[in-house]
Amino acid sequence: MAISLDSAMGIHEQALNARVKRAEVLANNLANADTPGFKARDIDFSSMVDQAKHAMGGVGMEKTHARHMDTSSGSTGMPSELLYRVPHQPSVDGNTVDAQQEQARFMRNAMDYQASFEFLNGKINGLKKAISGQ
């Protein structure tokens, strides 16, 4: 009986990749906190997860009318590329990075990364035990 690693790992592999990409974006925001005119950006994590679920063969929607939206391409209508953040209070030089908020988001993302890593590590340990017969 063949084991599909993609289905065994679930969505955690894609979640780790998304967390790494978000950490890079947030670190770039922090590095440019004093750059005049720099616009803070972020990733829409939920749309990335939705796309990953759809790519893994999740439940799809059936198009029964010509005017229904086409969801077969995997797109949920939300772009997964970088989005500009709307600042609470932009600075005079046009920079939209709030260093304290960026640090909080970075730390939250790091904790979410660690949680996804622990889930994935648990799945791998479960597979190891199943293979060794424990």
Side-chain angles (χ1 to χ4, degrees), residues 24-42:
E24 291 173 357
V25 171
L26 294 176
N28 189 42
N29 288 344
L30 282 169
N32 288 292
D34 294 329
T35 304
F38 184 81
K39 307 294 183 203
R41 302 186 87 177
D42 203 350

Side-chain angles (χ1 to χ4, degrees), residues 37-49:
F38 184 81
K39 307 294 183 203
R41 302 186 87 177
D42 203 350
I43 294 173
D44 186 5
F45 184 76
S46 62
S47 71
M48 291 181 76
V49 170

Side-chain angles (χ1 to χ4, degrees), residues 5 13 16 25 28 34 38 46-47 57 74 77 85 101 113 122 124:
L5 285 179
E13 180 185 355
L16 280 178
V25 171
N28 189 42
D34 294 329
F38 184 81
S46 62
S47 71
R85 184 169 298 136
Q101 287 188 7
Y113 176 88
I124 291 171

Side-chain angles (χ1 to χ4, degrees), residues 4-15:
S4 170
L5 285 179
D6 288 339
S7 63
M9 299 300 167
I11 198 158
H12 299 295
E13 180 185 355
Q14 288 86 4

Side-chain angles (χ1 to χ4, degrees), residues 93-115:
D93 63 0
N95 188 313
T96 62
V97 176
D98 183 344
Q100 292 179 345
Q101 287 188 7
E102 295 297 328
Q103 289 173 348
R105 287 184 179 109
F106 190 86
M107 291 305 299
R108 173 63 193 230
N109 188 60
M111 288 189 298
D112 291 342
Y113 176 88
Q114 187 65 32

Side-chain angles (χ1 to χ4, degrees), residues 8 10 20 25 27 32 45 48 50 57 64-65 69 74-75 92 104:
V20 167
V25 171
N32 288 292
F45 184 76
M48 291 181 76
D50 288 343
T64 59
H65 190 270
M69 292 175 22
S75 173
V92 177

